Each structure stands twice: as C-alpha cells, then as structure tokens.
C-alpha cells in the first residue's frame, strides 16, 4: 500500500482517475474524484454493503434450490 501526504489542491493520479484534496477538517478530508463514466466510483462502505447484499442474495437463492436425492436423476 502506498501512503503519501497531500495538501489542499494537490492531486493523486491513478491510471486515468484523478483525486484532488479539496478540504481538510479535524475529522475528515474532502476529495474530488475525476474519472470517466466507464469507471464505477464508490465509497468503501457502499461497496461493502453491495457485496454483502450480493452474498446474502446468492446464499438465499442457493438455499431455495432442491437438492437431488442420491441415486435419483436430476429433474430438468
């Protein structure tokens, strides 16, 4: 992991994504993210919530599937 310091107005470039520090407060930092519409830009907690919901949906879907009994052919 790369750790760097930035001041207000300074930028970090990752590929074609540009991140600029716009404000610094006691409890946080405000960042501006400039990226093509083809890039999905999410806050970490939003990404985590989406992944959790996807895992739960996949698990509940797989629990609803019938399990074939041994020795019997699968229904098609």
């Amino acid at each position: 992991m790369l750790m760097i310091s930035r001041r207000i107005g300074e930028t970090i470039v990752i590929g074609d994504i540009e991140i600029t520090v716009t404000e610094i407060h006691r409890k946080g930092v405000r960042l501006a993210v400039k990226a093509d519409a083809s890039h999905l830009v999410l806050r970490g907690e939003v990404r985590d919530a989406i992944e959790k919901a996807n895992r739960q949906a996949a698990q509940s879907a797989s629990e609803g599937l019938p399990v074939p009994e041994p020795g019997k052919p699968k229904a098609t």
Side-chain angles (χ1 to χ4, degrees):
M1 177 183 292
L2 173 65
M3 302 284 286
I4 61 174
S5 298
R6 299 277 76 196
R7 293 188 173 135
I8 293 176
E10 293 182 331
T11 301
I12 298 167
V13 178
I14 303 169
D16 56 352
I17 299 172
E18 187 176 297
I19 303 165
T20 304
V21 178
T22 59
E23 296 177 28
I24 300 173
H25 302 284
R26 281 185 144 185
K27 294 185 178 183
V29 175
R30 181 166 285 197
L31 303 173
V33 180
K34 184 178 178 183
D36 293 337
S38 63
H39 292 288
L40 179 61
V41 179
L42 299 172
R43 295 187 324 253
E45 64 273 12
V46 172
R47 181 205 56 209
D48 294 344
I50 291 169
E51 288 177 355
K52 180 180 178 183
N54 287 342
R55 282 193 301 274
Q56 289 174 342
Q59 182 180 4
S60 64
S62 67
E63 288 173 356
L65 295 176
V67 178
E69 294 179 31
K72 291 193 175 186
K74 294 181 184 177
T76 56

